[in-house]
Amino acid sequence: MAAMKKNESLSNSDNSRRWKRRELGLLILYAIVFYFIVIRRSLHISRDHHSRLHGLRPGWLTKFTHLPNDVSDAQWRNFRGNLPILTFVFGIFALVANTLRAYFDLKARGMSIVWLFISLIYLSYLHGACIIFILAIASLNYLLVKIFARKKYFSLVIWSFNIFFLLCNRVYEGYSFSIIGQQWAYLDNFRGSFRWHICFNFVVLRMISFGYDYHWANHDSRFDQKKHIQRCHVCKSGKTCYQLLQERSVQNDKYALSIYICYLVYAPLYLAGPIISFNAFASQLDVPQNNYSIRDMAHYGLRWVFSLVLMELMTHLVHYNAFAISGLWKQLSPMDVFIIGYGVLNFMWLKFFLIWRFFRFWSLICGIEALENMPRCINNCHNLEDFWKNWHASYNKWLVRYMYIPLGGSRKKLLNVWVIFTFVAIWHDLEWKLLSWAWLTCLFFIPEMILKSATSALQVESALGRFIFRELSAVAGAITITCLMVANLVGYVVGLSSINWLISHFLQKEGLSVLAGMFLTFYVGTKLMFHIDDAKRRRHYSKESGL
């Protein structure tokens, strides 16, 4: 009897694998057809409407394609335009810092002086005389941390101080020197080339990180380093993972003012991140990262160049962002509106991918490893939690460590998401559309969290049960992706005022058929993601088993 059950189980397993292989073939075929239609239609509408779009300029491919380059996104335009000078600065800073470290065998204190000198030169060019504001606020924060770190109400002090300046910086647009006194008003003529209060958002995160890491260093750590090393495959290999660097407190002398200011203004990560905790930064300032060899970094750089070429092709051939900026998408059919919306989100993902990886690459060469901000493609996320873990991942880690856990963690998850996403919206900018995006995201989070709680308690053993559960999960994934598209388009593209237009446009006869096709596409995409996850699990199991 036992042998019969075993044979039946093996037969079911073989049938399941065969079905999954056939299913994967059909899913890939659907994806190929989908992207063929999307790319073909994108090229067509870009060619037909480019004369009416804003933010287009002649590019290096224009003479071949007869299409201008889409530089309508200010953030991408500034980064792309300054890329040559940034690369030059990248090379000089890295050469100077690494040469001094090697020649004088500098450790944390010595390297902090080197990077502080280099970074202040960099900030002087960016912000001119406004570095006075940055250093003044940073010094006040340092003083508060040192005074109140051992107090029970430390969290209230550190958050109140930093949110106060986060809001004031925006409201007063970086202040004027004349508020100090008319004798200082002439300094307003030397405000640099970049608004300091925009960059200061990242400095706020670092000031809070320093405060909490110093606060926790004065308490017994709950982090079990030995157990972590036994479980972590990176640490077992002789390297040091980011979690260990972050959770392991540094010696008290590392919380010095010079290292603190160096951490706040560290040139490679100053403008855009990725965000790194104080503990991780100070540890690597002392002992440079050992996870990336020269060969690994060269490969990382080449992948970045390939991604840049891909972005150049995209912005020359299809003008997704220009359609959004110009408002011309309102004159298009529901199918074309979907394509533009989907294209804008992919453009945003690739833009941030390139910006963050550029600065992370710079930091890696200088011996400081920060978290990867985009570890997974936007088209490979089928639930909200995975999406936020893989979009601005270093910020997500920061929010978990310094907000989510102190607020009560999973015990108060339904309440925490509202606090955290409201802060995220305010941190980005004081705009109603960002608050709308934050609260929409929270609303979409609630059913997902309830569904996850229900499914974690559900034990499915039969083959039919597993099949039904997988199908329901794919449907849930399609709904989640649709919600993500709506939330991000409202927050970053169309604004809250256009949400009624979108709904009415897609509830018409033509729009309903597009909605059905969109849902089917997201269902197919979710099933493809399941296959990718299965392949990763098999590869991980093979590595763990030594096969």
Side-chain angles (χ1 to χ4, degrees), residues 300-339:
Y300 190 88
L302 286 173
R303 285 184 63 193
W304 184 88
V305 171
F306 173 79
S307 301
L308 178 64
V309 172
L310 183 64
M311 178 61 130
E312 287 293 293
L313 288 172
M314 177 189 282
T315 55
H316 277 84
L317 297 175
V318 290
H319 303 142
Y320 298 126
N321 198 71
F323 273 101
I325 295 294
S326 306
L328 200 63
W329 54 274
K330 288 187 176 181
Q331 301 174 25
L332 302 177
S333 67
M335 176 65 175
D336 291 340
V337 170
F338 161 69
I339 289 172

Side-chain angles (χ1 to χ4, degrees), residues 8 16 53 68 109 194 196 226 271 357 428 483 520 538:
E8 185 180 348
S16 175
L53 298 174
R109 189 67 70 92
F194 207 89
W196 73 273
K226 289 184 179 178
L271 275 177
R357 285 208 173 189
H428 276 91
C483 292
L520 175 63
R538 286 194 299 270

Side-chain angles (χ1 to χ4, degrees), residues 236-262:
K236 280 195 292 189
S237 68
K239 298 177 180 179
T240 308
C241 76
Y242 182 83
Q243 186 181 357
L244 181 59
L245 291 171
Q246 176 177 266
E247 299 293 339
R248 185 176 59 190
S249 295
V250 295
Q251 298 91 341
N252 277 333
D253 64 323
K254 299 292 190 301
Y255 296 99
L257 180 62
S258 62
I259 298 176
Y260 162 73
I261 298 292
C262 171

Side-chain angles (χ1 to χ4, degrees), residues 20 59 93 181 237 388 474 476 515:
K20 283 186 176 180
F93 284 5
S237 68
W388 289 115
L515 272 178

